[in-house]
Amino acid sequence: MRNTVQEEKHNAMMICRFLEDFAHHLQAPAVKVPRRSPRNHKCLFQGPLRIPWSPHAEAELLVSTTVASEFLRNCHSVLHGSTVSSEITSLPPRASVSVVPRTLAHRWPLVSEVLFAACELGVFDLLSEAPEPLGSAAVAVRLGTSSHGTQLLLDTCVSLKLLQVETSRGKALYQNTELSSTYLVRASPKYQGNMLLYLARTTYLCWGHLAQAVRDGKNQYQEAFGVPSNELFTAIYRSEGERVQFMRGLQDVWSVSGRAVLEAFDLSPFRLICDVGGCSGALAKECTALYPGCRVTVFDTPDVVRAAKEHFSFLEDDRIRFWEGDFFEDPLPEAELYVLARVLHDWSDARCARLLARIRRACKPGGAVLVIESLLDADGRGPLTTQLYSLNMLVQTEGQERTPAQYLALLGPAGFPDVQYRRTGGLYDVILGRTGLPAGCS
């Protein structure tokens, strides 16, 4: 069920307060987000950070160029994720926001590591399960960590507004903030910790070789992990643990972004859907919840399908089935709509064209393909977050993020000439390419 306006306002206020404090502690300059319309907007803050709220708010905030900004953007997308309606026929360009902390050069890796370490150690889970706020000594004992290191970590999390502290009889007692309870506690339905741990253990290490990636023009799995990347996903899924971690991370992503991308267009006419490269089935679950009349086939490699069935049993649903195969080589299930979510950005133009052509051949008459990616601006020089994602594709994959025109150039020749795109205001945007043929034609 769609969030109520009150719940949306509550999410917006919670996130904006955190972002305001976070930007302040990074000593960011004042940020002003232009209002799209003088009506139906309420500014939550009148201080240095101003975030307008509306039922279809599209303001975006790029706090920094840290890897941790992925987490912040995931959180911020909740503000948009429940408000982008399929009834919107067009969306204006995103608000232009530039936030570059003056002390970024020496702070950004440190801030990221604090967040990663607190998640890995289970700080937020422990405090969530405790019946009352805990002192640092109690936290250290229960986590099996040093008292000195624990004290330093907890106090830094307080400064980053990830924890709050109160003093009782001269003793500091710690507890989660509302935001960390929502996004950093494993029991929360909006938990983002799996993606953070993937960023910490994989993405962050690959970024340590960014300069070499620019020199070579290829990903850095060999340099970061000693793993050859001739077969891309053999490198990405270099162990069973890494495969499951990545799948859980995508589950986190779709828990906050899934509804927004699936609502961007009305998909109710499509009854038979194939989620190509659908991983654990998390997006398929969001799809069947939003469109109860549809059936979704999740198509992925045998190892991924096996892991999905073994580790994600909560996805048992007779409207969702799994189909094993290689989408570049094996026959694709017949469907009316094919979903490519965070897939095309992994691959070169040539490989994307090949996949889209295969989908067109398998597609039922009058069918379509739904591409879910973070879109670059027309000139490719923004938004900053998407540019960073594109660099991430350089260090981790064979692909890149693209502009709407670049996706049109891929979709049209593949047999999807009727193309529309919509910016959701969140992490990911949506492109719908139709075959343009009436029912009964092939």
Side-chain angles (χ1 to χ4, degrees):
M1 181 176 295
R2 185 187 294 273
N3 285 347
T4 64
V5 171
Q6 290 77 15
E7 288 171 336
E8 291 171 0
K9 286 184 177 180
H10 175 74
N11 281 338
M13 291 177 67
M14 178 176 69
I15 293 165
C16 291
R17 283 172 180 160
F18 172 77
L19 292 174
E20 180 184 37
D21 289 332
F22 199 94
H24 171 73
H25 281 277
L26 289 177
Q27 298 182 13
V31 179
K32 295 183 180 180
V33 182
R35 298 188 180 194
R36 192 165 45 134
S37 166
R39 296 179 297 171
N40 300 324
H41 285 76
K42 180 178 180 181
C43 192
L44 296 179
F45 296 98
Q46 301 301 324
L49 182 64
R50 297 183 175 90
I51 304 291
W53 182 90
S54 77
H56 302 302
E58 294 170 35
E60 69 175 7
L61 180 65
L62 307 178
V63 174
S64 71
T65 58
T66 74
V67 175
S69 70
E70 172 87 8
F71 162 67
L72 299 178
R73 292 278 294 141
N74 265 307
C75 295
H76 189 48
S77 71
V78 176
L79 167 61
H80 311 284
S82 60
T83 60
V84 178
S85 170
S86 60
E87 299 171 357
I88 301 174
T89 57
S90 64
L91 297 176
R94 302 178 189 179
S96 177
V97 181
S98 177
V99 183
V100 181
R102 289 190 294 270
T103 56
L104 180 63
H106 67 272
R107 288 195 182 194
W108 75 262
L110 308 183
V111 170
S112 298
E113 288 293 352
V114 168
L115 182 57
F116 295 154
C119 288
E120 182 173 337
L121 292 169
V123 170
F124 307 108
D125 289 328
L126 172 63
L127 293 176
S128 174
E129 295 164 1
E132 57 187 8
L134 298 177
S136 63
V139 172
V141 169
R142 298 186 191 189
L143 293 181
T145 54
S146 70
S147 58
H148 176 62
T150 301
Q151 179 77 64
L152 293 176
L153 180 64
L154 295 179
D155 284 340
T156 305
C157 285
V158 170
S159 294
L160 293 175
K161 307 304 178 184
L162 297 173
L163 297 178
Q164 54 189 343
V165 64
E166 60 184 49
T167 302
S168 176
R169 298 179 180 179
K171 181 180 179 181
L173 301 174
Y174 301 87
Q175 60 184 328
N176 290 329
T177 60
E178 190 172 4
L179 185 129
S180 59
S181 294
T182 303
Y183 299 105
L184 300 178
V185 172
R186 193 174 298 274
S188 169
K190 295 189 185 320
Y191 177 64
Q192 296 296 298
N194 291 305
M195 180 52 76
L196 279 172
L197 290 177
Y198 177 78
L199 292 170
R201 297 168 180 172
T202 298
T203 302
Y204 199 84
L205 298 181
C206 287
W207 272 75
H209 301 274
L210 176 60
Q212 192 60 44
V214 171
R215 292 187 188 99
D216 298 341
K218 64 181 183 180
N219 67 63
Q220 296 297 296
Y221 284 101
Q222 181 69 55
E223 288 71 16
F225 305 106
V227 178
S229 57
N230 298 331
E231 294 295 329
L232 177 60
F233 273 84
T234 300
I236 292 176
Y237 296 149
R238 60 188 182 277
S239 69
E240 178 67 11
E242 185 73 6
R243 179 185 296 110
V244 173
Q245 186 67 57
F246 182 79
M247 294 172 71
R248 286 175 174 159
L250 284 186
Q251 176 187 320
D252 291 355
V253 168
W254 300 131
S255 74
V256 297
S257 299
R259 178 170 287 267
V261 295
L262 294 172
E263 282 186 327
F265 292 94
D266 179 12
L267 304 180
S268 59
F270 301 105
R271 314 293 282 186
L272 190 59
I273 299 172
C274 179
D275 187 0
V276 181
C279 209
S280 71
L283 190 60
K285 181 186 178 186
E286 294 290 333
C287 190
T288 55
L290 190 59
Y291 302 104
C294 77
R295 300 179 68 85
V296 183
T297 299
V298 178
F299 186 92
D300 218 312
T301 63
D303 286 342
V304 170
V305 170
R306 176 188 51 75
K309 292 178 177 179
E310 181 178 347
H311 297 281
F312 299 87
S313 58
F314 67 91
L315 289 173
E316 292 176 357
D317 186 326
D318 59 7
R319 294 169 299 168
I320 299 173
R321 65 170 180 163
F322 288 84
W323 187 305
E324 298 179 2
D326 179 336
F327 53 57
F328 285 120
E329 302 294 339
D330 297 320
L332 296 170
E334 187 178 58
E336 298 166 358
L337 176 70
Y338 291 84
V339 177
L340 291 169
R342 290 177 42 128
V343 171
L344 295 185
H345 73 173
D346 289 335
W347 304 103
S348 66
D349 285 353
R351 299 270 267 179
C352 289
R354 178 182 173 188
L355 175 57
L356 289 168
R358 299 191 82 243
I359 288 174
R360 177 63 186 91
R361 289 193 293 272
C363 188
K364 292 175 73 69
V369 61
L370 189 77
V371 176
I372 299 169
E373 299 286 2
S374 184
L375 289 176
L376 286 165
D377 293 338
D379 62 4
R381 297 191 178 93
L384 174 58
T385 297
T386 309
Q387 291 176 303
L388 294 172
Y389 290 172
S390 204
L391 281 173
N392 192 56
M393 295 303 101
L394 174 65
V395 300
Q396 285 200 266
T397 73
E398 298 176 9
Q400 62 181 342
E401 307 298 347
R402 296 177 173 89
T403 67
Q406 288 173 319
Y407 280 112
L408 177 61
L410 290 171
L411 288 162
F416 299 96
D418 182 4
V419 180
Q420 298 173 283
Y421 75 95
R422 291 185 183 162
R423 296 188 184 274
T424 68
L427 276 171
Y428 299 103
D429 305 305
V430 186
I431 305 164
L432 182 65
R434 299 179 183 271
T435 60
L437 295 175
C441 297
S442 59

